[in-house]
């Protein structure tokens, strides 16, 4: 609202209209209003004044991130600046300045958090609240990029049991390296897997194990408890009675439908992998690398599917 907005109320005993200025609303009413707002409305609410901003300090816009809701899309890096395009599931587009996305590459997306790499740093980031949690700087990490780094994290970074796992190829060989860090650790641990020539396209986490899937039916599994890497083969369940991991790949039909509804030309956009929370089985959206531009250059446009949340954290929170 602007400075000329007033709130009108009608007395229950008299047919009279009274007015109250927007900045004079009861303080106890503001938080309940903020809790019922969606992401975009919450951002506007917080920008009204200091009191409204403070009153929304615990809001998270959970309504936007309910299970089985389609993710939103964040397009960034088009002109190598902080201007980003946010596209909602209904197709509405908003231009938002997010300085942290300038020069960044998104490595993973889950539950409203993005895992970003920027200028040698790796950190968790919420694009709306701009909450940020820095991870220890990795040493001797291969150069970052969507094309050859696939990441996933076990739980939100505010959880004490959060673990981050990034897999990448070494020096264009068939060997894979796995970098793992637990919350509270000061350094990354490295694990190696020899001779895995296929490209990793999807990643997910379930019950203490990280799963990395290629474009066939093979998968790389890393157990947090055993600190071991193993190879496996994907087997699809044929009945509801079979035991299974509650994960599924997003279908081509679903993926194309998302693109159509968003009305975006994503053919030249490098898209980060995403895990979408669902009630029965989480959906995995694959990485899509579009690095080969005309003339041999690299496309600057990048994108990520994400479930919109308004995460807020204590400024003193550390990894």
């Amino acid at each position: 609202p602007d400075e000329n907005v007033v709130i009108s109320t009608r007395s229950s005993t008299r047919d009279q209209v009274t007015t109250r200025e927007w900045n004079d609303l009861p303080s106890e009413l503001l938080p309940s209003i903020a809790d019922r707002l969606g992401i975009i409305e919450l951002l506007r609410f917080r920008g009204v004044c200091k009191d409204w901003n403070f009153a929304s300090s615990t809001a998270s816009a959970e309504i936007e991130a309910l299970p089985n809701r389609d993710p939103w899309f964040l397009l960034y890096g088009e002109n190598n600046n902080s201007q980003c395009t946010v596209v909602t599931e209904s197709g509405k587009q908003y231009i938002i300045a997010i300085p942290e996305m300038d020069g960044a590459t998104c490595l993973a997306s889950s539950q409203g958090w993005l895992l970003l790499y920027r200028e040698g740093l790796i950190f968790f980031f919420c694009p709306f609240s701009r909450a940020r949690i820095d991870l220890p700087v990795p040493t001797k990490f291969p150069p970052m990029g969507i094309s050859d780094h696939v990441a996933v994290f076990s739980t939100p970074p505010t959880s004490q049991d959060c673990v981050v796992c990034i897999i990448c190829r070494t020096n264009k060989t068939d060997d894979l390296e796995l970098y793992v860090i637990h919350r509270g650790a000061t350094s990354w641990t490295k694990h190696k897997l020899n001779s895995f020539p296929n490209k990793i396209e999807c990643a997910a986490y379930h019950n203490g194990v990280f799963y990395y899937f290629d474009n066939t039916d093979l998968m790389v599994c890393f157990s947090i408890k055993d600190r071991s890497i193993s190879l496996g083969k994907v087997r699809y369940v044929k009945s509801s009675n079979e035991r299974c991991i509650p994960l599924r790949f997003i279908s081509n039909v679903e993926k194309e439908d998302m693109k159509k509804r968003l009305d975006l030309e994503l053919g030249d956009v490098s898209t980060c992998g995403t895990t979408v929370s669902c009630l029965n089985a989480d959906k995995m959206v694959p990485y899509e690398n579009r690095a080969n531009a005309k003339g041999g250059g690299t496309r600057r446009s990048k994108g990520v599917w994400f479930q919109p949340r308004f995460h807020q954290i204590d400024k003193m929170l550390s990894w």
Side-chain angles (χ1 to χ4, degrees):
D2 56 39
E3 295 183 355
N4 295 321
V5 172
V6 295
I7 307 298
S8 297
T9 59
R10 187 177 296 275
S11 172
S12 60
T13 58
R14 298 180 181 180
D15 192 20
Q16 296 178 345
V17 175
T18 59
T19 61
R20 169 176 275 171
E21 294 185 2
W22 59 266
N23 59 354
D24 191 33
L25 288 175
S27 58
E28 63 273 12
L29 178 64
L30 296 176
S32 62
I33 295 176
D35 287 338
R36 290 168 171 78
L37 298 178
I39 287 285
I40 302 301
E41 291 75 18
L42 180 58
L43 291 176
R44 292 168 176 166
F45 183 94
R46 290 172 58 82
V48 170
C49 63
K50 291 182 179 180
D51 289 341
W52 285 31
N53 186 288
F54 179 78
S56 60
S57 59
T58 60
S60 63
E62 292 185 3
I63 186 174
E64 312 272 42
L66 294 174
N68 292 332
R69 289 285 293 271
D70 287 329
W72 292 12
F73 190 79
L74 177 66
L75 185 68
Y76 65 100
E78 275 193 294
N79 300 310
N80 202 29
N81 58 34
S82 62
Q83 294 296 315
C84 303
T85 302
V86 174
V87 188
T88 69
E89 62 175 320
S90 65
K92 291 184 179 180
Q93 298 190 19
Y94 301 90
I95 305 299
I96 299 178
I98 310 177
E100 290 82 356
M101 301 302 299
D102 183 8
T105 294
C106 187
L107 302 177
S109 168
S110 180
Q111 301 181 62
W113 285 100
L114 307 181
L115 183 64
L116 299 182
Y117 172 82
R118 182 175 184 243
E119 298 177 348
L121 301 177
I122 297 179
F123 55 95
F124 285 102
F125 183 68
C126 176
F128 293 118
S129 67
R130 294 177 64 183
R132 172 172 172 161
I133 303 176
D134 290 332
L135 276 66
V137 178
T139 58
K140 298 182 179 179
F141 224 53
M144 282 289 180
I146 287 179
S147 61
D148 53 4
H149 290 70
V150 178
V152 65
F153 45 96
S154 60
T155 56
T158 51
S159 302
Q160 292 296 330
D161 59 350
C162 180
V163 183
V164 181
C165 190
I166 302 176
I167 198 169
C168 54
R169 199 166 299 283
T170 62
N171 300 321
K172 297 183 180 180
T173 67
D174 289 343
D175 298 338
L176 294 176
E177 287 184 346
L178 211 68
Y179 291 83
V180 183
I181 191 168
H182 299 243
R183 183 173 174 186
T186 58
S187 62
W188 298 71
T189 58
K190 184 174 73 172
H191 306 266
K192 192 171 183 179
L193 177 66
N194 297 321
S195 301
F196 190 86
N198 299 345
K199 183 178 179 180
I200 301 295
E201 292 195 343
C202 291
Y205 169 85
H206 175 67
N207 199 25
V209 180
F210 290 100
Y211 296 92
Y212 292 91
F213 303 91
D214 69 359
N215 53 1
T216 63
D217 287 331
L218 296 179
M219 61 182 177
V220 176
C221 309
F222 177 79
S223 169
I224 296 176
K225 181 179 179 180
D226 301 332
R227 299 183 181 181
S228 61
I229 301 177
S230 60
L231 294 177
K233 189 175 180 64
V234 177
R235 185 177 69 86
Y236 299 94
V237 297
K238 297 182 179 180
S239 75
S240 58
N241 296 326
E242 293 186 76
R243 293 183 60 186
C244 66
I245 301 173
L247 299 169
R248 75 177 183 86
F249 302 103
I250 190 171
S251 68
N252 289 331
V253 173
E254 287 178 293
K255 188 165 59 175
E256 291 305 315
D257 182 59
M258 284 196 300
K259 294 178 181 180
K260 289 179 181 178
R261 283 188 295 99
L262 296 179
D263 194 27
L264 287 174
E265 295 293 336
L266 298 182
D268 294 327
V269 179
S270 291
T271 307
C272 172
T274 305
T275 301
V276 181
S277 301
C278 296
L279 289 175
N280 298 321
D282 288 352
K283 293 188 292 187
M284 295 175 290
V285 184
Y287 284 68
E288 293 188 44
N289 178 40
R290 307 292 181 184
N292 297 322
K294 296 180 180 179
T298 300
R299 296 285 187 187
R300 293 182 175 180
S301 297
K302 304 173 187 176
V304 56
W305 303 97
F306 71 103
Q307 290 181 289
R309 290 291 299 274
F310 194 86
H311 294 293
Q312 300 190 74
I313 61 172
D314 188 328
K315 292 183 179 180
M316 300 302 293
L317 180 66
S318 62
W319 177 258

